[in-house]
Amino acid sequence: QVQVVESGGGLVQAGDSLRLSCSVAGRTYSSYHMGWFRQAPGKEREFVAAITWNGDSTYFADSVKGRFTISRENLRRALYLQMNSLNPEDTAVYYCAARDIIKSGSYLPNLQRSYDYWGQGTQVTVSS
């Protein structure tokens, strides 16, 4: 069974930085495209960033471009989301998601239905 676990959330002030981590237990980690999504109170879950299995391609929501970076270390089975210049609008529960690369169909990194496995989420709160 595949388990996805996020960590690194917390309470920070506007302008601060925070790095989220995600680990995937189960099959070989490099078998997954990975994504980050977030859900703010009273809002639907939205795409944040994604990275292909080999790290060659990355994708970002317009709201985080230039502030967030996504990276992965396959040997460590780790995914990271570096968040800089945080603002209160970034407050949300952040979810890590994994998509098996052998899954049929096109990989659309910004769509939730593209992913097979999800973590429980980690809370990020940015105070003004």
Side-chain angles (χ1 to χ4, degrees):
Q1 186 172 351
V2 178
Q3 289 187 317
V4 179
V5 180
E6 307 94 339
S7 61
L11 172 63
V12 297
Q13 294 186 329
D16 285 351
S17 298
L18 198 62
R19 188 175 81 159
L20 303 183
S21 299
C22 173
S23 63
V24 178
R27 287 181 49 213
T28 305
Y29 176 62
S30 58
S31 300
Y32 303 102
H33 301 310
M34 301 295 298
W36 287 99
F37 290 76
R38 67 185 181 185
Q39 187 168 20
K43 295 186 177 181
E44 294 188 353
R45 191 157 56 182
E46 64 177 6
F47 170 72
V48 176
I51 187 168
T52 51
W53 70 274
N54 57 3
D56 280 358
S57 296
T58 58
Y59 310 86
F60 296 94
D62 287 343
S63 59
V64 306
K65 278 181 182 176
R67 299 189 299 123
F68 291 12
T69 58
I70 187 171
S71 60
R72 64 190 295 164
E73 293 184 70
N74 285 351
L75 289 180
R76 292 176 181 263
R77 309 176 65 86
L79 174 74
Y80 305 106
L81 184 68
Q82 178 66 42
M83 305 184 293
N84 299 327
S85 301
L86 286 162
N87 59 62
E89 290 69 40
D90 296 315
T91 295
V93 177
Y94 283 71
Y95 297 91
C96 177
R99 173 193 171 95
D100 198 317
I101 61 173
I102 67 172
K103 182 177 179 177
S104 61
S106 299
Y107 173 49
L108 302 175
N110 61 320
L111 297 184
Q112 296 183 52
R113 59 180 169 84
S114 291
Y115 298 89
D116 307 296
Y117 309 102
W118 292 81
Q120 293 299 306
T122 185
Q123 176 70 47
V124 173
T125 303
V126 185
S127 63
S128 57

